[in-house]
Every structure is written in structure tokens, then in C-alpha cells.
Amino acid sequence: MTPESSGRRSAQSWWVPRLPRGVPVARHRVQEAMRSWGEPDERVEAAALVVTELVTNAVEHTEGRRIRCRLLRTPGRVRICVWNRGRRHVPELPGPRKPQSYGAPVGPPAAEGPGPVSLGGPDTTDEGFSLASVAEDGRGLMLVDALATRWGTRTSASGRLVWADI
């Protein structure tokens, strides 16, 4: 049976230091877990890129000594969660999120990412903003947005969770 049809749920959780060396650790753990679950290579590599961007953002834009990563597998989906203490700025993309339905989210409603960004020319999107106007630290979220079916954030007094479904 393929992972999507097996109906099995799995989860893994781990901590990485809030240092640049925590990024490859998180990426390796995601690849290892997803391969052990029999996920297709394309999904494994997409998840590796997404967790790299999310952990990099947490390293650069948050406080605390460590970052918690969690991988949740349900039929047809893998959710990547990155949690950190602190509520400092997380880069955002301009433009509204286009409403799309991908099934019920896990947990309470969350603020979703700004939606797909497609290129209408070398420097602009068809939504009318220049890629040059997006801060360099916001470009990783464009990659997350392109690879994930959904993504979003949740903020509380204790920290921030950023999640993405692959």
C-alpha cells in the first residue's frame, strides 16, 4: 500500500538549537522520517525545502535557545510544524490569500499564508507587485507557499507556530 492509501497516522517531534547548525539537522530528520514512512521522493524533497525555510526563519527572526519541529502524517498529507518561543517579526508576502479548500485544518483556525505567487514577467507577479519589493527574508516564504498545499501561523503568549501541509 502507498502511504496515501494506507490510512496510517504517524508523528515525530524533536528539538533543534536556534542556531544555523539546527537547520540541516531539521532537514535530515524530515527526510529520514518521511523515507521511513515510504513517502514519494518528490514529497520528501519538498518537505525538506519547506522545513529548511521555516527553521531558517525561526533562527533569524525569533528568540529562545531552541526550536521544536514536528512532523504529522495523515493519509494524503504531511504537516510540518515549527514552533519557537518569542513573537518577533515573521516575514510576510504582499497580497491577499486566495481562498482554496484543501480539507479541514488540524486544530483551531489559523492565519494562512498569502497564497500562490505566479510570475507574470521577469520581475512582477500577475498580482501587481515587484519581486524586488519583497524583502530578501520574505522570499523563503514564497518557496513555502509554492510547495505547500496550505500553510499558516498561530501566535500565542508563549511563542509562534508556523505550519505547512505537503
Side-chain angles (χ1 to χ4, degrees):
M1 272 193 254
T2 67
E4 294 174 2
S5 64
S6 69
R8 298 193 59 180
R9 295 175 178 262
S10 302
Q12 287 199 17
S13 182
W14 64 94
W15 292 89
V16 296
R18 194 188 63 81
L19 298 168
R21 66 183 165 92
V23 175
V25 172
R27 180 175 50 246
H28 177 74
R29 293 286 301 265
V30 164
Q31 291 170 320
E32 190 176 75
M34 290 182 67
R35 286 187 180 121
S36 75
W37 295 336
E39 293 289 338
D41 287 341
E42 183 177 292
R43 184 178 281 178
V44 171
E45 293 312 312
L49 286 171
V50 167
V51 80
T52 296
E53 293 302 329
L54 297 183
V55 173
T56 297
N57 279 346
V59 167
E60 292 179 6
H61 300 287
T62 65
E63 301 165 349
R65 294 181 305 130
R66 56 190 188 154
I67 299 163
R68 183 176 185 203
C69 299
R70 186 167 171 92
L71 206 54
L72 305 166
R73 177 179 172 240
T74 58
R77 177 180 78 191
V78 174
R79 176 165 285 186
I80 300 163
C81 301
V82 174
W83 180 85
N84 55 270
R85 293 194 188 280
R87 296 173 52 179
R88 289 180 23 194
H89 174 73
V90 172
E92 295 181 14
L93 294 175
R97 174 103 175 152
K98 292 181 174 63
Q100 298 176 358
S101 175
Y102 294 102
V106 174
E112 297 215 4
V117 177
S118 59
L119 298 177
D123 293 325
T124 61
T125 69
D126 53 3
E127 293 167 345
F129 68 89
S130 167
L131 290 177
S133 72
V134 177
E136 187 174 323
D137 63 355
R139 294 183 182 179
L141 290 180
M142 291 174 78
L143 178 62
V144 170
D145 195 69
L147 294 171
T149 56
R150 293 185 334 141
W151 70 275
T153 65
R154 295 183 189 145
T155 303
S156 70
S158 63
R160 177 181 302 266
L161 171 76
V162 183
W163 56 269
D165 290 343
I166 304 295

